Amino acid sequence: MNANEIAASGLWTQWLGLGLSVVVGGLGLYFARLAHITSRLSRDNQERATLAAADSPGILPTPSVLPSIAWSTSSVGGESYVLVNRGFETAYDVTVDGLTALDKQRLTVNNPTPEIEAAAALEFVLVSRLSLSGPANLVVKHSTEPGGTRVGNVLLVHAP
């Protein structure tokens, strides 16, 4: 082996080491991102479990309050959904929010209205992207008269 061959093999070794370092660094970033996503989903699931285990007055429906207003959700295509008042009375002072921080981040209510008549619907979007996918919980609060006592319901939305 002459001096040029030795120099070329040393240069080749340096480039190979650099390439492997870049690959290992990229894998480290990839797995760090996966760990971040898993941690976020775990935190959201823990928050849901805590809320489900707690006795939260004003959020969980009681049978004796407002039987004339019932809510349901259904998909209208893609990430769009509707919240429908299936009851026979108008719901006043209506607000729609996500139950957990992740649900709140995913939810966008189109044209929020404080009043939803019987059989009327309110459209909303539930974003589904990578770590923001899966079912979501909505908190719908309303009253049977303007300025009346507000009651909340938690609804499960089966999002992809």
Side-chain angles (χ1 to χ4, degrees), residues 72-139:
S72 68
T73 61
S74 59
S75 175
V76 291
E79 296 177 337
S80 296
Y81 297 83
V82 288
L83 171 69
V84 181
N85 179 357
R86 298 271 184 217
F88 55 88
E89 286 188 17
T90 299
Y92 297 94
D93 305 322
V94 177
T95 59
V96 180
D97 202 6
L99 180 64
T100 66
L102 184 58
D103 294 337
K104 290 176 184 180
Q105 183 181 355
R106 295 175 61 192
L107 177 67
T108 303
V109 179
N110 298 333
N111 304 317
T113 179
E115 185 177 305
I116 301 178
E117 296 177 0
L122 176 67
E123 188 173 336
F124 64 94
V125 175
L126 199 58
V127 176
S128 292
R129 302 272 191 281
L130 192 59
S131 66
L132 302 178
S133 60
N137 291 302
L138 300 182
V139 178

Side-chain angles (χ1 to χ4, degrees), residues 3 13 15 24 36 39 42 44 53 58 70 73 75 78 85 97 103 111 114 123 139 142 147 150-153 160:
T13 304
W15 279 107
V24 169
H36 174 73
S39 169
S42 176
D44 185 60
T73 61
S75 175
N85 179 357
D97 202 6
D103 294 337
N111 304 317
E123 188 173 336
V139 178
H142 63 276
R150 297 183 73 215
V151 175
N153 298 86

Side-chain angles (χ1 to χ4, degrees), residues 48-63:
R48 287 175 197 256
T50 302
L51 290 170
D55 184 18
S56 304
I59 291 182
L60 300 176
T62 56

